[in-house]
């Protein structure tokens, strides 16, 4: 049986699946239910200064896709709307009753040293395992100079992280906003500030839909909408890329990463780990289905690790990172052609029309003995994968490698490159 | 002359007719079907499963390709999850309760998905269950049917040693000798038995019949507890003259013969067949007769379709197989031609004020070369009761309390043989599982 325990920047957790700072971790009631269900840890819903903020009614919006609900999810909620004291008392009690679970506290106070110093002391007194600095919230708090307003300015990230390291011995996780152009700049600032880890992504600025009758973006609050934070399965590709950018950035110095964004099952989690994450955090999937989904996450990861022969998370963590290269390092001699398995083909014609109308006219639509027949024209096929992706039948179209005996040659070495240097 | 003959169909036709009626799902279809599940909270499907399998959880695991996890969720609650996936009348159990049935009349195919996961796990060759430390306790089990095997598996898991005494030469009970062949083809019953016994700590003694070869008093002396899972023994009589005549069969006997036959071309079937009964056994024998090549098969039931214990889906299945179902008729006489049946005389029936049934006096004869009785089996108390006159019965079956304890100390019972059981494989498995837990507690106190 695989060992799912992990030591994340000094924070011990029985498994790498945590609940992200959000409504699922808003209070003791939820967190206890989550721990009963088997979650390894929580990042408590972001605490701020008193008086607590006030939320609006009508808070969430969603993108549904092909009959599946909440493929994308958005919200205009702020940080916790409960008094600081109440949260701190509950955090202390939860940690005392669940000593083996990771309890991290998310924080967001104004960008001044004193408020950070004060709140850190209070959090330390609860016995919590660490803090996460919410530099990500893209709505409501950013207009008040907090959240992503800090996360978008590398100097602020560095400064606040330094204060936190200075005023507390707790591990400090810096939660990054994806609402920037280069995630590495923000991550490097956190590293410079002395952060013990980073977590990402927070939500993405979005408008999930426009109600064409009301003529307003959703979710609608009395006829008006605000831009909302986007998350859920739809954002996973964006999050994976940002995680990978940090993982392979030398200036980020292998900082521990907690991956967040669209994680709904064990496989999503394993993908984040393959790109370097030590733990992963979940919000939308839990808000959709409840805490029980963690059972698939832990058993699925464990079964997969057993099948692969991985004994611990670190056995496979980051294994995909070296295979993420810059485009100019890819092999220009690599050549694949589409292959149609005629026995599996159901004659829908999608491979033909996708290639014919939008790619390289490399699949013919003909008739053989009167029956519809689709055939790849090798000389025209550039190996783009489009037909394989469009084909509704699994494994019906596969790509076959045909560049036998040709050596590796990247774009810098390619004679077709006007700027090619033989020196590479 | 009655026309009863073997090999009405070719070997190839017979092979096709007795192959899997519901071929397994492939991985892609399984994932698509699994994604139709809403992962309901406190799911209605789960409430409707007699063994309480965590259905949303296992289906989600199929969707995420955590198939081992899915298989274990099923087998943890129902060690015969593989058989149940094939034989459960899901339309009145889990799938009937699925919220997608209510929403759009099309449930998540829970049975097929359950089969997908359990097949995967069994094909992996893994023995996923680890027994607890040996307790040194020994339990005797009567009958290697679903109830007995389920009890044995759970007891073995808890660290006890089990010895099963089975009257017949093979294990599996009605999974092996009763259930329709096209529901459990390819020797599935024996494969499942092997998988269950793979946990270790269970010895099966075949051809050992309680009352003949072994005796309750001895078992009680030599074992720490006894579990009776002996099923139902005999077929109810029609109460008509001529029940010993040629061409008149007990459906279950013929089915057992069919299940054990290596060569279906050797099985003789009538050209015109009449089946009397309204349950799944009646449906099974009618469909099998048709699939063996009978020309006319008429199933006759004394009340209307809603009163039949066969589900609507089973009735439809018989009809698409070419079986004619006639309602509101009861048998009054067996017609004979020499030593053989030539038909059955029925009287039309109607309901009277108190809900009872009465004949209308209107008679009709249906000609037949072969007649099958499928009007229910009864518990035969003889071997068990002769052994122990203190064994209380209720509604002609063994009476048990809520811990599956019989009136004799240390003797427990479950499955078809106990009062209150609903007569399904899945119910027998649940009885065995719960009785094992009760026996475990009983032993802890002893
Ligand atoms: C024709 C037919 C079709 C059916 N189809 C379905 C179906 O599709 N789906 C479904 O869910 N259910 C079906 N059932 C019902 C289902 O098979 C039973 O409910 C289930 O097998 C009961 O399990 P059991 O262990 O209690 O009894 P059994 O399966 O009857 O097993 C009892 C075992 O005890 C042995 N035994 C009996 N007496 C003694 C003795 N004195 N000493 C030693 N051993 C003894 C028997 O040989 C047998 O192996 C069907 C039943 C029949 C008859
Ligand atoms: C309703 C809602 C409220 C959130 N509140 C917070 C918050 O208070 N602090 C924070 O750091 N992130 C907050 N988030 C962001 C989540 O923690 C997480 O980063 C994001 O939802 C991506 O993960 P997911 O795709 O699993 O939902 C919130 C998200 C949602 C949906
Ligand atoms: S989810 Fe609950 S709180 Fe939210 S709108 Fe619906 S009923 Fe109200
Ligand atoms: S898309 Fe796939 S199934 Fe459809 S015609 Fe092409 S190869 Fe056949
Ligand atoms: S009732 Fe249907 S949709 Fe709901 S959990 Fe069960 S199988 Fe899934």
């Amino acid at each position: 049986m695989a060992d799912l325990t992990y030591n994340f920047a000094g924070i011990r957790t029985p498994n790498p699946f945590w609940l992200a700072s959000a409504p699922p971790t808003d209070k003791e009631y939820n967190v206890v239910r989550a721990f009963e269900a088997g979650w390894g840890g929580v990042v408590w819903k972001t605490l701020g200064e008193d008086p607590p903020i006030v939320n609006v009614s009508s808070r969430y919006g969603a993108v549904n896709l092909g009959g599946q609900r909440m493929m994308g999810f958005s919200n205009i909620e702020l940080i916790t709307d409960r008094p600081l004291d109440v949260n701190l008392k509950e955090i202390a009690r939860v940690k005392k009753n669940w000593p083996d679970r990771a309890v991290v506290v998310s924080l967001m106070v104004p960008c001044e040293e004193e408020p950070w110093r004060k709140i850190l002391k209070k959090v330390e007194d609860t016995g919590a395992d660490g803090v996460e600095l919410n530099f990500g919230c893209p709505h409501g708090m950013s207009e008040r100079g907090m959240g992503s307003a800090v996360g978008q300015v590398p100097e602020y990230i560095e400064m606040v992280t330094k204060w936190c390291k200075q005023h507390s011995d707790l591990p400090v996780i810096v939660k990054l906003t994806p609402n920037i152009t280069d995630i590495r700049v923000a991550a490097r600032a956190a590293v410079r500030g002395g952060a013990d880890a980073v977590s990402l992504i927070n939500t993405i600025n979005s408008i999930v839909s426009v109600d064409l009758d009301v003529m307003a973006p959703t979710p609608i609050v009395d006829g008006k909408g605000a831009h909302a934070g986007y998350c859920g399965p739809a954002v996973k590709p964006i999050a994976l890329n940002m995680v990978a950018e940090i993982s392979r950035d030398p200036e980020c110095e292998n900082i521990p990463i907690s991956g967040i964004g669209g994680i709904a099952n064990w496989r999503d989690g394993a993908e984040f780990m393959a790109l370097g994450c030590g733990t992963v955090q979940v919000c939308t999937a839990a808000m959709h289905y409840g805490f029980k989904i963690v059972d698939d996450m832990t058993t699925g990861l464990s079964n997969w690790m057993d099948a692969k022969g991985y004994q611990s998370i670190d056995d496979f963590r980051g294994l995909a990172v070296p295979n993420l290269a810059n485009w100019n390092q890819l092999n220009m001699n690599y050549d694949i052609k589409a292959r149609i398995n005629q026995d599996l083909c159901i004659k829908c014609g999608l491979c033909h029309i996708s290639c014919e109308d939008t790619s390289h006219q490399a699949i013919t639509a003909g008739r053989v003995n009167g029956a519809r027949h689709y055939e790849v024209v090798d000389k025209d096929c550039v190996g783009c994968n489009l037909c394989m992706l469009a084909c509704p039948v699994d494994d019906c179209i596969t790509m076959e490698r045909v560049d036998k005996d040709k050596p590796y040659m990247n774009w810098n070495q390619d004679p077709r490159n006007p700027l090619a240097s033989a020196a590479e | 002359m009655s026309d009863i003959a073997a090999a009405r169909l070719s070997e190839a036709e017979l092979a096709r007719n007795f192959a899997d009626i519901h071929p397994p799902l492939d991985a892609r279809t399984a994932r698509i079907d699994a994604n139709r599940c809403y992962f309901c909270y406190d799911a209605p499907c789960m409430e409707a499963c007699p063994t309480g399998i965590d259905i949303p959880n296992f289906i989600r695991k199929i969707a995420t390709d955590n198939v081992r996890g899915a298989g274990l969720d099923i087998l943890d609650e129902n060690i015969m999850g593989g058989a149940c996936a094939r034989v459960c009348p899901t339309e009145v159990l889990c799938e009937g309760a699925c919220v997608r049935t209510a929403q759009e009349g099309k449930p998540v195919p829970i049975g097929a998905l359950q089969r997908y996961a359990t097949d995967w796990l069994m094909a992996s060759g893994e023995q996923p269950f680890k027994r607890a430390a040996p307790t040194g306790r020994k339990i005797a089990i009567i009958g290697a049917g679903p109830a007995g095997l389920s009890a044995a598996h759970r007891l073995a898991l808890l660290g006890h040693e089990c010895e099963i005494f089975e009257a017949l030469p093979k294990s599996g009970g009605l999974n092996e000798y009763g259930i329709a062949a096209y529901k459990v083809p390819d020797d599935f019953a024996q494969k499942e038995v092997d998988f269950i016994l793979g946990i270790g700590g269970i010895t099966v003694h075949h051809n050992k019949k309680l009352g003949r070869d072994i005796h309750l008093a001895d078992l009680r002396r030599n074992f720490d507890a006894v579990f009776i899972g002996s099923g139902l023994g005999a077929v109810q009589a029609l109460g008509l003259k001529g029940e010993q005549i040629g061409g008149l069969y007990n459906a279950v006997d013929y089915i057992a013969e069919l299940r054990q036959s290596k060569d279906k071309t050797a099985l003789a079937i009538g050209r015109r067949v009449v089946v009397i009964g309204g349950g799944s056994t009646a449906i099974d024998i009618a469909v099998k007769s048709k699939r063996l090549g009978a020309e006319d098969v008429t199933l006759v039931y004394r009340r209307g379709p809603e009163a039949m214990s066969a589900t609507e889906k089973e009735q439809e299945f018989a009809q698409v197989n070419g079986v004619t179902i006639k309602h509101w008729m009861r048998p009054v006489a067996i017609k004979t031609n020499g030593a053989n049946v030539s038909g059955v005389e029925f009287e039309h029936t109607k309901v009277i004020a108190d809900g009872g049934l009465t004949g209308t006096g209107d008679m009709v004869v249906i000609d037949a070369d072969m007649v099958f009785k499928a009007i229910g089996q009864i518990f035969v108390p003889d071997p068990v009761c002769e052994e122990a006159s203190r064994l209380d019965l209720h509604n002609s079956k063994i009476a048990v309390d809520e811990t599956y304890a019989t009136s004799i100390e240390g003797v427990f019972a479950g499955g078809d043989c106990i009062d209150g059981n609903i007569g399904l494989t899945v119910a027998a498995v649940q009885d065995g599982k719960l009785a094992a837990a009760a026996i475990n507690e009983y032993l802890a106190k002893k």
Side-chain angles (χ1 to χ4, degrees):
Chain A
M1 263 271 284
D3 177 11
L4 296 189
T5 61
Y6 201 70
N7 183 338
F8 183 79
I11 303 169
R12 292 186 178 281
T13 179
N15 69 60
F17 296 100
W18 292 1
L19 284 165
S21 172
T25 62
D26 193 28
K27 46 181 127 46
E28 181 178 13
Y29 179 81
N30 306 61
V31 171
V32 166
R33 284 171 67 88
F35 284 165
E36 282 165 357
W39 290 86
V42 295
V43 182
W44 204 277
K45 171 79 181 170
T46 305
L47 309 186
E49 289 184 315
D50 282 336
I53 58 84
V54 181
N55 277 308
V56 293
S57 193
S58 178
R59 305 176 185 179
Y60 307 145
V63 171
N64 302 330
L65 191 69
Q68 297 280 346
R69 303 262 164 170
M70 286 169 68
M71 291 297 95
F73 186 58
S74 79
N75 83 91
I76 51 172
E77 269 182 357
L78 309 180
I79 61 174
T80 184
D81 53 11
R82 305 186 318 143
L84 182 59
D85 243 19
V86 174
N87 275 307
L88 292 169
K89 275 205 192 88
E90 290 185 3
I91 292 167
R93 202 156 49 222
V94 166
K95 184 62 211 181
K96 185 158 158 278
N97 293 338
W98 297 84
D100 71 318
R101 310 300 169 95
V103 178
V104 175
V105 179
S106 171
L107 300 175
M108 183 194 289
V109 291
C111 215
E112 296 152 31
E113 188 163 358
E114 192 50 20
W116 283 99
R117 193 186 63 78
K118 270 184 29 209
I119 200 162
L120 281 164
K121 284 287 161 266
K122 290 182 178 166
V123 172
E124 276 186 344
D125 291 344
T126 65
D129 299 298
V131 291
E132 185 181 81
L133 314 186
N134 180 352
F135 293 158
C137 186
H139 44 258
M141 305 312 291
S142 51
E143 289 89 326
R144 305 175 196 191
M146 292 182 268
S148 61
V150 178
Q152 287 166 339
V153 184
E155 292 73 22
Y156 291 174
I157 297 179
E158 184 178 343
M159 177 177 74
V160 177
T161 308
K162 270 193 180 129
W163 291 338
C164 292
K165 285 307 293 178
Q166 198 180 324
H167 295 303
S168 168
D169 294 330
L170 289 175
V172 173
I173 306 169
V174 175
K175 184 166 180 177
L176 302 175
T177 174
N179 299 312
I180 39 81
T181 41
D182 186 346
I183 195 73
R184 291 173 304 178
V185 177
R188 287 169 188 161
V191 170
R192 279 197 306 277
D196 298 283
V198 292
S199 58
L200 69 162
I201 59 175
N202 209 312
T203 55
I204 304 174
N205 288 339
S206 70
I207 292 175
V208 287
S209 70
V210 176
D211 185 318
L212 291 179
D213 297 319
V214 184
M215 277 297 170
T218 63
I220 298 173
V221 182
D222 193 18
K224 296 215 173 351
H227 74 82
Y230 197 42
C231 52
V235 310
K236 185 184 126 193
I238 297 165
L240 281 175
N241 178 55
M242 291 186 165
V243 162
E245 286 296 300
I246 295 173
S247 279
R248 71 195 192 100
D249 181 35
E251 287 181 55
C252 288
E253 296 170 0
N254 294 320
I255 187 161
I257 307 172
S258 188
I260 318 169
I263 295 164
N265 58 55
W266 69 268
R267 184 181 290 274
D268 296 330
E271 290 177 32
F272 275 87
M273 293 172 203
L275 286 174
C277 296
T279 59
V280 291
Q281 301 181 25
V282 176
C283 168
T284 302
M287 290 183 73
H288 194 169
Y289 296 112
F291 294 141
K292 205 168 94 175
I293 54 170
V294 75
D295 187 44
D296 163 62
M297 295 178 172
T298 50
T299 61
L301 183 66
S302 171
N303 288 334
W304 172 78
M305 287 170 65
D306 285 345
K308 290 280 181 190
Y310 299 129
Q311 270 145 30
S312 70
I313 307 273
D314 276 337
D315 280 0
F316 72 97
R317 192 177 64 82
L319 284 190
V321 177
N323 291 328
L324 180 69
N326 288 337
W327 190 90
N328 64 10
Q329 296 304 307
L330 301 177
N331 182 2
M332 304 304 293
N333 276 334
Y334 182 68
D335 195 11
I336 55 176
K337 302 287 178 205
R339 294 286 175 255
I340 297 175
N341 181 332
Q342 299 292 347
D343 295 333
L344 293 177
C345 172
I346 55 173
K347 322 282 183 213
C348 69
L350 289 177
C351 54
H352 164 74
I353 202 60
S354 59
C355 191
E356 188 74 11
D357 279 358
T358 72
S359 195
H360 291 78
Q361 298 75 46
I363 297 182
T364 60
R367 301 258 164 186
V368 172
N369 300 326
R372 298 151 66 92
H373 185 85
Y374 301 90
E375 197 72 62
V376 177
V377 182
D378 265 18
K379 73 170 174 39
D380 295 327
C381 174
V382 300
C384 72
N385 297 339
L386 178 62
C387 57
M388 174 179 77
L389 300 174
C391 176
V393 182
D394 283 349
D395 302 324
C396 174
I397 302 185
T398 48
M399 307 301 297
E400 189 194 354
R401 185 166 186 176
V402 296
D403 61 296
K404 314 258 183 282
D405 309 326
K406 284 195 187 166
Y408 167 87
M409 175 190 67
N410 65 37
W411 181 238
N412 297 335
Q413 304 158 333
D414 193 325
R416 292 168 295 187
N417 178 356
L419 303 173
S421 66
E424 179 96 30
Chain B
M1 260 320 282
S2 55
D3 183 354
I4 301 180
R8 290 184 182 277
L9 301 175
S10 72
E11 211 177 314
E13 283 169 314
L14 287 170
R16 201 167 51 238
N17 285 351
F18 288 90
D20 220 336
I21 34 167
H22 298 299
L25 298 178
D26 60 39
R28 176 176 172 276
T29 319
R31 271 200 306 276
I32 292 173
D33 283 337
N35 274 302
R36 288 186 63 235
C37 172
Y38 293 141
F39 200 67
C40 300
Y41 168 69
D42 219 353
C45 54
M46 202 171 147
E47 272 175 31
C49 170
T51 53
I53 294 172
D54 191 341
I55 294 167
N57 214 17
F58 97 70
I59 293 184
R60 183 170 181 85
K61 289 176 183 171
I62 292 177
T64 71
D65 209 19
N66 175 8
V67 190
R68 180 177 186 271
L72 287 179
D73 281 351
I74 296 161
L75 297 182
D76 276 345
E77 291 301 340
N78 180 339
I79 192 60
M80 287 202 162
C84 290
R86 292 162 165 82
V87 310
C88 272
T90 51
E91 62 276 18
V92 293
L93 300 173
C94 53
E95 290 178 22
C98 174
V99 299
R100 295 204 77 147
T101 301
Q103 186 189 22
E104 55 196 11
K106 197 166 166 256
V108 173
I110 300 168
L113 289 167
Q114 179 168 320
R115 173 169 173 185
Y116 176 77
T118 49
D119 279 1
W120 187 97
L121 195 63
M122 281 170 68
S124 77
E126 179 193 354
Q127 175 50 247
F129 293 96
K130 305 259 168 319
R131 296 180 64 197
T135 61
R137 301 298 186 106
K138 273 170 36 187
I139 295 105
I141 292 172
I142 314 298
L149 287 168
S150 164
H153 188 270
R154 188 51 63 107
L155 288 166
L157 188 68
L158 294 165
H160 308 300
E161 292 291 314
C162 299
E163 286 192 40
I164 306 185
F165 299 93
E166 166 58 55
L168 294 172
K170 283 190 193 173
S171 302
L174 289 169
N175 280 5
E176 176 59 37
Y177 292 98
I179 305 262
Y182 37 71
K183 290 184 187 169
V184 281
D186 305 324
D187 215 16
F188 178 78
Q190 289 312 305
K191 289 179 191 159
E192 189 170 54
V193 167
D194 292 344
F195 176 78
I196 292 171
L197 299 183
I199 188 174
I202 307 172
T203 317
V204 188
H205 307 285
H206 289 117
N207 304 306
K208 290 279 179 278
K209 187 169 180 176
L210 182 72
R212 185 186 69 196
D213 314 302
I214 42 163
H215 302 281
L216 199 54
D218 298 333
L219 296 180
R220 290 190 65 208
R221 209 170 314 115
N222 298 334
F223 291 85
D224 296 297
V226 178
F227 174 80
I228 303 173
S230 57
L232 299 172
V235 175
Q236 230 155 340
L238 291 169
L240 306 175
K241 270 210 301 211
E243 280 200 48
Q244 310 311 323
I245 195 125
L248 179 61
Y249 291 82
N250 288 327
V252 285
D253 295 343
Y254 190 88
I255 288 171
E257 194 186 327
L258 186 146
R259 281 296 306 275
Q260 297 308 308
S261 76
K262 294 267 174 294
D263 175 12
K264 300 227 167 12
T265 61
L267 284 170
I269 192 77
R271 186 167 66 85
R272 296 160 308 170
V273 172
V274 165
V275 176
I276 303 169
S280 49
T281 305
I283 300 281
D284 278 1
I285 191 64
V287 171
K288 282 171 177 150
S289 301
K290 208 57 197 157
R291 290 187 171 209
L292 282 170
E295 196 176 297
D296 281 318
V297 178
T298 312
L299 187 158
V300 186
Y301 181 59
R302 64 200 157 104
R303 288 175 182 266
E306 36 334 294
M308 289 174 80
S309 68
T311 67
E312 216 179 300
K313 195 167 146 192
E314 287 175 310
Q315 298 178 41
E316 256 178 52
F317 177 65
Q319 285 160 331
V320 298
N321 273 274
V323 173
T324 305
I325 302 182
K326 291 195 186 245
H327 296 108
W328 302 110
M329 281 158 75
R330 67 182 183 194
V332 289
I334 302 291
K335 296 284 171 191
T336 57
N337 173 6
N340 284 312
V341 291
S342 63
V344 184
E345 182 171 21
F346 292 93
E347 179 183 23
H348 283 277
T349 56
K350 62 176 185 197
V351 178
I352 49 174
D354 66 351
L357 210 57
T358 184
T360 63
D362 192 4
M363 303 291 175
V364 55
V365 173
I366 302 180
D367 293 338
D369 304 298
M370 229 166 155
V371 175
F372 288 110
K373 291 186 290 178
I375 54 170
Q377 292 168 272
I378 45 173
F379 175 65
V380 188
D382 300 1
V384 184
C385 285
E386 271 166 20
E387 291 284 312
S389 49
R390 284 172 300 123
L391 190 67
D392 289 351
L393 300 186
H394 191 249
N395 294 324
S396 315
K397 295 206 210 169
I398 300 175
V400 293
D401 66 12
E402 64 290 344
T403 70
Y404 293 85
T406 67
S407 53
I408 304 176
E409 205 240 303
V411 178
F412 296 74
D416 279 0
C417 64
I418 62 165
D419 180 40
N421 178 284
I422 54 171
L424 295 174
T425 307
V426 64
V429 175
Q430 177 73 348
D431 283 356
K433 178 179 91 183
L434 296 182
I439 291 170
N440 189 51
E441 269 187 37
Y442 162 80
L443 293 176
K445 285 192 211 121
K446 197 167 140 177

